[in-house]
Amino acid sequence: MRLPQFVSRTVLCTLVVLLAACGSGGLDAGTDVKSSGTSGSPPNPQPGVFVLSQANYSIQQGDDTVTVVVDRTSGSDGAVAVNYATADGTAVAGTDYAATTGTLNWNDGDSTAQSFTVPISSATPFSGSKTFSIALSAATGGATIGTPQTATVTISGAGTSTAGSISLSAAGYSVAQNGGTVTLTLHRTGGSTGAVTVDYATSDGTATAGTNYTAASGTASWADGSVAAQKFKVTVSNATPFSGNKTFMVTLSSPTNGAALAAPISATVTITGSAASAGSLALSSATYPVQQSAGSVTITVVRTGGSSGTASVNYATANGTAAAGTDYTAASGTLNWAGGDTSAKTFNVTVSAATAFTGAKSFSVNLSGAVGGALGTPAAATVSITGSGSQTACAKGSGSYTTNDDFGYVVYGDYVVNNNNWGGTPGQKFWANSANCWGVTTTSTVDGGSPGSYPNVTRGWSSNDGVMQQLSDPGTNDWTTKSGMGISVTALTQATAHWAFSAPTTGTRWMGLMDIYFHKTNSPDYTQFPPYTDLMVDQALQDQVFDGTTFYSATAQQDNATTVTLGGVKFVIYIDDTSEDSFHNGGHTIHLFELPTAYTSNNANPVWGSMNSRIDIKAIIAYLLQSNPLDDNGHPLVTATGATVTSPLITPDLYLNAVNAGWEINTGTPFTNTNFCLAMQSEPACP
């Protein structure tokens, strides 16, 4: 019989209670009727789930922080923890916000929400919006991470679209007179929209450009979005020491593309004088090369660092492998300076060719007994005499490398010897035994009017892609280390070349020269040819005499040529001939023509200069690094356009990248290179 529905439910509920309470031993008053499972088993733990309270946060750039909340849900059993960290989006840590990481911890039974803050920066205002993200990770204690696990924070920019303002970092700078340079800093603030520039220039106060400092002017540039500080340097001179202070000004002008100027737009630079000094007395070089046939060598002593009061120093020669009375005439004496006099003083030592020898011999010159000034460095120098005897045999043989290729080459260690027949001289054949023994023959018998070939030896950077790559490991641009070049001009301790060759003295036209290349990087690519500065040292000429009528003579005269003695060798110098602007890439073209040590007066085929020279490249560079270089007569150098040279012709930011020695030839056979050596830094001196 079926019971009414309400009766059946009552009975069932009663049975359930009785069964649960009684079990096998009857009803126990202490039994917890809420328990479940097997008697004595613990409940299942619920450590919880971590979630971010929201997936998106929106703030203003002017807000100091954004607060992020993390919830513990679905349980609170046990002690638990979770890590959090920010990550860049379009907003950048360190500029728009501060990178933030950390760990949040909960105790057993604690389900209270926890939070952390992320600092927001308004130091660099921007327009529009930028974002970064926040993420949870590495939950511990059995807890898990739910959704949302990450959140996006959107910062609304506080700035407007503006180019910003440009200013100097300070209204005053100071530098000691012997400090070398002073660095000035420019700032762009209040905006970064668009590429902008500003001009800067120095002007005299009580300090005078050319005496106390080197005038500087230029343009500073910022790319769109850039607010990085820009810097420039002004060179300070200690050539004329003074006591007290002197000042000059630096002023900003002409901002572009909507940028404004903000204070300070000018600054006063104070130079603290190094006090009056008598200066120091030293030789101009530690080495002086000379040919045995030259007759004499000129030694130069300089006074630097001050000119207060009179000064004097003694000099004397001493034997080395060269003997006084046989190879040279012993010399001694005293050089004197008046108060305020900083001019270089010279003396000559006679060299004898009465007993010709091959190879090289040397003697020393020493300074001593300085009065009224300090004895500077170098106080001793070595004079190296190259013998006028016959050269060691150098000739083509059965084992010589040979090529008819217009651009054939062979590599010898640090050097590449290259045919380089760029002018198409007929029948040109090239041979080489080593880096210092090679030559060329031609079948041409007609003077083409100008040189058309350049067989040469190069150490360092070359304009020829294939040659340069031969000095590099495949796929690299390590030719600088392969050749030992790419050296900062301010780091040079030695750079001396010895070059000897033989060439016909009739029936041809040729010129022996060294191109010395400089660049603003120590490893320029061959595509950056021509170099920034090209220094041409012309060693010898055939069919050109400096009499005012031939090409080079006329060019030198119209380009304000003068003479300078550098490393014991006297040169004709002229600067920036306009017809040769293509030979450099923003710097200078500088010609140095060695004065004759060998000269024939045959009007049809004159030979002018030396076919066996030692060129002190370091001494030449040191001279051209001067702000106000003077010639042998104490007069300032003048460029081809008539401008006085007041800034270094070779600037301290350049690198010596190559020495390229060879002949420009037109006709004639044979030409033979009998010696080429370039001694760099700590390398042994050339024999």
Side-chain angles (χ1 to χ4, degrees):
M1 181 171 121
R2 184 172 186 179
L3 296 173
Q5 187 174 1
F6 75 90
V7 175
S8 63
R9 289 183 176 173
T10 301
V11 174
L12 289 171
C13 288
T14 301
L15 290 172
V16 169
V17 172
L18 290 173
L19 289 171
C22 297
S24 61
L27 184 62
D28 185 346
T31 301
D32 185 355
V33 297
K34 295 186 294 181
S35 298
S36 61
T38 305
S39 176
S41 297
N44 290 327
Q46 298 294 325
V49 178
F50 295 122
V51 294
L52 290 162
S53 64
Q54 58 192 79
N56 294 283
Y57 293 83
S58 296
I59 59 169
Q60 301 296 316
Q61 191 181 19
D63 296 339
D64 291 335
T65 60
V66 58
T67 299
V68 179
V69 177
V70 179
D71 293 323
R72 181 185 188 183
T73 65
S74 302
S76 60
D77 292 339
V80 294
V82 70
N83 295 339
Y84 60 86
T86 58
D88 285 355
T90 53
V92 178
T95 301
D96 305 307
Y97 73 99
T100 304
T101 60
T103 302
L104 299 176
N105 297 277
W106 282 261
N107 293 324
D108 180 25
D110 181 9
S111 60
T112 305
Q114 297 200 40
S115 64
F116 61 91
T117 60
V118 180
I120 305 299
S121 173
S122 57
T124 307
F126 59 85
S127 59
S129 62
K130 295 184 179 181
T131 63
F132 66 92
S133 62
I134 297 168
L136 302 180
S137 64
T140 66
T144 59
I145 299 174
T147 302
Q149 179 180 356
T150 61
T152 299
V153 180
T154 301
I155 309 171
S156 295
T160 58
S161 180
T162 175
S165 299
I166 300 171
S167 64
L168 286 156
S169 65
Y173 296 83
S174 62
V175 61
Q177 189 182 15
N178 56 8
T181 62
V182 57
T183 300
L184 290 90
T185 303
L186 306 180
H187 290 311
R188 181 186 190 183
T189 58
S192 60
T193 301
V196 299
T197 63
V198 71
D199 295 338
Y200 61 85
T202 57
S203 59
D204 285 355
T206 53
T208 304
T211 301
N212 308 121
Y213 73 99
T214 301
S217 62
T219 300
S221 303
W222 286 263
D224 180 25
S226 172
V227 292
Q230 302 293 323
K231 298 181 180 182
F232 64 93
K233 293 183 178 181
V234 180
T235 300
V236 177
S237 173
N238 197 35
T240 307
F242 60 84
S243 58
N245 296 326
K246 293 187 178 184
T247 62
F248 64 91
M249 299 293 294
V250 176
T251 305
L252 305 183
S253 63
S254 305
T256 61
N257 294 338
L261 292 177
I265 65 172
S266 63
T268 300
V269 180
T270 301
I271 307 172
T272 302
S274 58
S277 169
S280 61
L281 308 173
L283 291 157
S284 64
S285 176
T287 58
Y288 292 89
V290 63
Q291 300 294 315
Q292 189 181 19
S293 59
S296 67
V297 58
T298 299
I299 309 298
T300 302
V301 181
V302 294
R303 182 185 193 182
T304 59
S307 61
S308 177
T310 61
S312 65
V313 70
N314 300 328
Y315 65 86
T317 57
N319 284 350
T321 53
T326 302
D327 305 306
Y328 74 99
T329 301
S332 61
T334 302
L335 300 175
N336 298 281
W337 286 261
D341 182 9
T342 58
S343 63
K345 308 298 181 183
T346 62
F347 62 92
N348 291 327
V349 180
T350 300
V351 176
S352 174
T355 306
F357 60 83
T358 60
K361 295 183 179 182
S362 64
F363 64 92
S364 63
V365 175
N366 302 283
L367 301 183
S368 64
V371 176
L375 189 61
T377 303
T382 299
V383 179
S384 179
I385 309 172
T386 300
S388 58
S390 60
Q391 295 289 325
T392 302
C394 173
K396 178 184 176 183
S398 58
S400 301
Y401 163 83
T402 59
T403 181
N404 294 316
D405 182 0
D406 285 345
F407 297 98
Y409 62 86
V410 61
V411 177
Y412 295 108
D414 292 339
Y415 302 90
V416 174
V417 185
N418 188 14
N419 191 25
N420 224 355
N421 184 14
W422 49 267
T425 299
Q428 183 159 306
K429 178 176 284 190
F430 186 77
W431 60 270
N433 295 335
S434 67
N436 60 6
C437 177
W438 44 273
V440 66
T441 59
T442 72
T443 60
S444 176
T445 58
V446 178
D447 185 349
S450 63
S453 175
Y454 193 25
N456 64 93
V457 59
T458 295
R459 178 169 176 177
W461 184 42
S462 171
S463 62
N464 184 304
D465 178 12
V467 171
M468 190 190 73
Q469 295 305 317
Q470 292 300 314
L471 291 173
S472 298
D473 292 323
T476 72
N477 189 30
D478 63 349
W479 62 266
T480 53
T481 56
K482 290 287 185 180
S483 64
M485 300 294 283
I487 301 171
S488 168
V489 294
T490 61
L492 279 176
T493 57
Q494 177 188 205
T496 306
H498 177 203
W499 187 23
F501 57 89
S502 61
T505 56
T506 59
T508 187
R509 173 177 303 199
W510 54 266
M511 176 170 64
L513 74 157
M514 278 188 280
D515 275 311
I516 303 171
Y517 295 150
F518 301 85
H519 207 278
K520 288 208 168 186
T521 172
N522 69 338
S523 56
D525 189 77
Y526 74 93
T527 58
Q528 294 174 276
F529 192 89
Y532 187 84
T533 294
D534 184 5
L535 171 61
M536 286 182 277
V537 181
D538 295 86
Q539 183 167 313
L541 300 173
Q542 166 65 18
D543 90 352
Q544 297 287 336
V545 182
F546 277 69
D547 59 3
T549 61
T550 58
F551 173 78
Y552 287 108
S553 178
T555 300
Q557 288 189 9
Q558 73 184 17
D559 288 343
N560 300 302
T562 184
T563 58
V564 293
T565 301
L566 304 171
V569 178
K570 179 170 279 192
F571 299 94
V572 173
I573 183 173
Y574 63 89
I575 305 156
D576 293 347
D577 176 26
T578 55
S579 68
E580 296 182 339
D581 284 345
S582 63
F583 288 100
H584 63 77
N585 197 16
H588 296 278
T589 298
I590 307 164
H591 283 274
L592 290 171
F593 282 92
E594 185 177 353
L595 282 169
T597 57
Y599 169 68
T600 66
S601 59
N602 182 334
N603 290 331
N605 293 284
V607 178
W608 189 88
S610 172
M611 296 185 192
N612 189 354
S613 287
R614 292 180 183 270
I615 304 298
D616 190 340
I617 298 171
K618 179 181 180 294
I620 295 172
I621 292 172
Y623 172 76
L624 298 174
L625 277 168
Q626 298 180 75
S627 296
N628 299 280
L630 304 178
D631 66 12
D632 283 345
N633 297 313
H635 300 145
L637 296 190
V638 179
T639 68
T641 61
T644 300
V645 176
T646 59
S647 298
L649 294 167
I650 294 176
T651 53
D653 59 344
L654 294 180
Y655 294 86
L656 173 59
N657 288 122
V659 176
N660 188 20
W663 320 310
E664 288 189 352
I665 64 172
N666 190 343
T667 62
T669 182
F671 291 82
T672 303
N673 204 95
T674 57
N675 193 9
F676 184 80
C677 168
L678 180 61
M680 298 292 299
Q681 302 298 82
S682 60
E683 295 174 350
C686 294

